[in-house]
């Protein structure tokens, strides 16, 4: 994997060499979004 000028990243979980763009896309896709359910459903209204 030399001579192409690109910095490839080795993914230890799959054993694949990934381009920087593909590694970033996989990283984004694997992130979990955490939400505060109390703030959206359990607040009491003050009038």
């Amino acid at each position: 994997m030399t001579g192409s000028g690109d910095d490839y990243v080795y993914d230890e979980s799959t054993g694949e060499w990934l381009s920087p763009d593909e590694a970033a896309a996989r990283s984004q896709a694997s992130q979990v979004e955490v939400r505060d359910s109390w703030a959206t459903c359990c607040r009491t209204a003050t009038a």
Side-chain angles (χ1 to χ4, degrees):
M1 298 229 126
T2 59
S4 66
D6 292 332
D7 293 329
Y8 280 79
V9 179
Y10 184 71
D11 184 353
E12 293 181 4
S13 64
T14 63
E16 296 176 307
W17 286 97
L18 306 172
S19 69
D21 292 336
E22 188 174 356
R26 287 188 183 190
S27 175
Q28 246 182 350
S30 68
Q31 292 181 353
V32 176
E33 181 178 350
V34 178
R35 296 183 180 195
D36 182 3
S37 61
W38 182 85
T40 58
C41 74
C42 303
R43 289 187 187 180
T44 57
T46 58

